[in-house]
Amino acid sequence: MRIGYFLSTEEYGPAELIAQARAAEEAGFEALWISDHFHPWNNEQGNSPLVWSVIGAISQVCKLHVTTAVTCPTTRVHPAVIAQAAGTSAELLEGRFTLGVGTGEALNESILGGPWPTADVRLEMLEEAVGLIRELWKGEVVNHRGRHYTVEHARIYNVPDVPPEIFVSGFGPKAVDLAARIGDGYISTSPDPELLNRFRASADGRPAQAGAKVAYAPTKEEGWEHAHRLWPNAGLPGELAQILPTPEHFEQATELVTMDSTRDSVVAGDDPEDHLDQVRSYADAGYDELYLANMGPHYLEMIDFYGKHVLPKVS
């Protein structure tokens, strides 16, 4: 299984993200994920730089493959603009780029004041958006009048000769079926093999990526404290992550997330075996690639720790 590093734009500023990308390459991580947000999940995280600017900077300091995990090309940003941004990124990265897409969260997508569509409508919008992006990447003039999007005489001039792959995230059966139908690969965050097996059943060997977080620190207790302070939203159940509209709403909801639940769900501290156990859980589930993010201030130490104690033991 290939191991990459996950750049969390919600927690770190642009300069920190660029430093992490450079350090991850030096430590032996094989690729990068980067999140795409307008807001952080909560105000304690405190960041949310424009992902396309950060990717441009990363392309100048690092040779790793980059995947957005994930971009929502439906509501906040028109898919034609995403097609241009992703094409430029892929050209800067000399083809080392994958556009990861999903149906998004109200947290980021409702900022323009429109209604937040139902899950079924969002999936319909995503399917049309992906088709339009692929059409624009052919480099020809496109005119499109669909159910959700209109494009008049649009042409993308900067895309590599081989257009990027598009991976689709899915956290429920309908989304997974869409990923298998329109995606070049699948993105998830859970080691539970049920949805991955559903994707595999009709995906003809296409790859699957997953992301996970750790709280590296000198002690487990310190790591859990960072995780609970910065990422309590990870403990919210069901569809709350998709429908809560502001960081303040997430802060209200996560008052219900206990420290005990954080301890039960987060890998923390500096014991290599704890970190390796999490990696193995995703390998056992059948994922081809796993991307790991750090929570808290010890990100450079985490990257060095993985380079020395974890990556060499992953086959």
Side-chain angles (χ1 to χ4, degrees), residues 172-240:
K174 291 181 180 179
V176 171
D177 292 345
L178 179 65
R181 188 165 69 252
I182 70 170
D184 297 306
Y186 173 58
I187 286 175
S188 183
T189 57
S190 172
D192 186 338
E194 181 179 354
L195 291 176
L196 177 57
N197 290 339
R198 186 182 182 103
F199 173 78
R200 295 273 194 220
S202 54
D204 301 320
R206 280 168 279 167
Q209 300 178 344
K213 291 182 170 64
V214 303
Y216 177 83
T219 67
K220 290 183 179 181
E221 201 60 40
E222 182 190 339
W224 284 324
E225 289 173 0
H226 292 310
H228 193 70
R229 174 176 58 88
L230 290 161
W231 290 89
N233 54 286
L236 293 176
E239 297 182 44
L240 286 176

Side-chain angles (χ1 to χ4, degrees), residues 69-292:
V70 293
T71 292
C72 179
T74 63
T75 306
R76 171 171 48 103
V77 185
H78 193 284
V81 179
I82 295 297
Q84 183 187 28
T88 300
S89 296
E91 192 168 277
L92 281 169
L93 287 160
E94 299 178 329
R96 302 183 307 275
F97 178 77
T98 297
L99 178 61
V101 298
T103 59
E105 303 93 13
L107 173 71
N108 302 303
E109 307 307 318
S110 64
I111 61 165
L112 302 181
W116 183 232
T118 65
D120 285 345
V121 172
R122 298 200 309 270
L123 287 167
E124 186 180 89
M125 294 172 73
L126 182 61
E127 183 164 8
E128 184 179 341
V130 167
L132 178 55
I133 290 168
R134 292 192 192 278
E135 191 67 22
L136 284 162
W137 280 347
K138 294 178 181 178
E140 302 169 354
V141 172
V142 173
N143 292 284
H144 174 88
R145 289 189 178 274
R147 182 167 183 178
H148 299 286
Y149 305 107
T150 297
V151 166
E152 293 185 359
H153 201 90
R155 181 181 176 189
I156 304 297
Y157 285 81
N158 289 94
V159 181
D161 293 336
V162 178
E165 291 187 316
I166 298 178
F167 283 28
V168 180
S169 70
F171 303 104
K174 291 181 180 179
V176 171
D177 292 345
L178 179 65
R181 188 165 69 252
I182 70 170
D184 297 306
Y186 173 58
I187 286 175
S188 183
T189 57
S190 172
D192 186 338
E194 181 179 354
L195 291 176
L196 177 57
N197 290 339
R198 186 182 182 103
F199 173 78
R200 295 273 194 220
S202 54
D204 301 320
R206 280 168 279 167
Q209 300 178 344
K213 291 182 170 64
V214 303
Y216 177 83
T219 67
K220 290 183 179 181
E221 201 60 40
E222 182 190 339
W224 284 324
E225 289 173 0
H226 292 310
H228 193 70
R229 174 176 58 88
L230 290 161
W231 290 89
N233 54 286
L236 293 176
E239 297 182 44
L240 286 176
Q242 282 74 52
I243 65 174
L244 293 178
T246 70
E248 291 76 16
H249 285 100
F250 275 91
E251 289 170 353
Q252 294 166 17
T254 55
E255 290 180 6
L256 302 173
V257 178
T258 67
M259 177 60 87
D260 284 342
S261 69
T262 298
R263 291 190 183 98
D264 289 341
S265 60
V266 172
V267 173
D270 62 353
D271 185 338
E273 281 305 312
D274 292 339
H275 293 263
L276 281 163
D277 284 346
Q278 177 166 257
V279 170
R280 292 178 187 123
S281 72
Y282 283 87
D284 292 344
Y287 285 97
D288 302 291
E289 302 176 27
L290 175 63
Y291 293 80
L292 292 152

